[in-house]
Amino acid sequence: MLSQESLALIDAEIAKYPADQKQSAVMGALRIAQAEKGWLKPDVIEYVADYLEMPAIAAYEVATFYNMYDTQPVGRHKITVCTNLPCALMGANEIAEHLKRKLGIGFGETTEDGRYTLKEGECMGACGDAPMCLHNNHKMHTHLTTEKVDELLDKME
């Protein structure tokens, strides 16, 4: 189900916790599985749960609670825009509307070509750098303007 490389990375996550607390590595394990598979299908979540010797429902709870996990297919470029109050006060809603117009999709949608998915996100802990977005859960882009968004999209092509 997962590559040997991913299993080795999960084993490294497991090693961070006491031997009888393997399930504590669930967030890292799901992140690793998603990085390999692109999104978390139910059978992938169940596989991770089995690997961590925990009930599948517990892994589902984690995968569906946090917005960094995708339980539906997403585009190659997932853009998550923070719309919490500090970002909103600094123009995040305008940035979001610009992205919606430019991509022709709304929050929770993917472009027809499968290139972009646009998500609305909760606070990402960088309020002083608002407005901001997260690209594929790994790259944070801060102090956004419509011009910076256009440049960012051009680089993602």
Side-chain angles (χ1 to χ4, degrees):
M1 174 75 57
L2 293 176
S3 68
Q4 289 303 311
E5 293 84 10
S6 290
L7 293 176
L9 291 171
I10 292 172
D11 288 341
E13 291 292 314
I14 292 168
K16 296 176 182 177
Y17 302 98
D20 64 339
Q21 298 294 315
K22 287 175 75 168
Q23 71 278 5
S24 297
V26 66
M27 290 185 73
L30 289 171
R31 177 185 50 78
I32 292 162
Q34 180 171 284
E36 178 178 326
K37 298 295 186 180
W39 63 286
L40 296 172
K41 295 186 229 178
D43 60 340
V44 172
I45 297 171
E46 291 169 16
Y47 180 85
V48 168
D50 287 343
Y51 195 80
L52 297 176
E53 300 173 1
M54 64 188 292
I57 188 65
Y60 276 106
E61 289 170 344
V62 173
T64 57
F65 179 79
Y66 294 101
N67 68 3
M68 71 270 235
Y69 300 116
D70 300 306
T71 56
Q72 298 292 321
V74 294
R76 285 192 317 274
H77 301 288
K78 182 176 80 168
I79 303 168
T80 306
V81 179
C82 178
T83 57
N84 273 83
L85 186 58
C87 280
L89 290 172
M90 295 301 293
N93 294 333
E94 292 80 7
I95 295 297
E97 290 305 313
H98 179 73
L99 278 163
K100 289 176 185 178
R101 279 191 307 275
K102 186 111 176 158
L103 299 175
I105 57 174
F107 283 133
E109 296 178 347
T110 300
T111 57
E112 285 186 26
D113 63 3
R115 184 173 287 163
Y116 302 102
T117 295
L118 187 59
K119 295 251 183 167
E120 183 174 22
E122 291 299 316
C123 182
M124 298 174 199
C127 301
D129 298 329
M132 57 140 330
C133 73
L134 195 60
H135 176 223
N136 288 345
N137 293 335
H138 296 287
K139 178 82 171 133
M140 194 175 285
H141 300 276
T142 60
H143 303 287
L144 292 175
T145 63
T146 54
E147 294 80 15
K148 283 186 178 180
V149 167
D150 291 344
E151 289 173 24
L152 177 62
L153 293 175
D154 288 343
K155 291 178 186 174
M156 290 181 191
E157 296 290 335

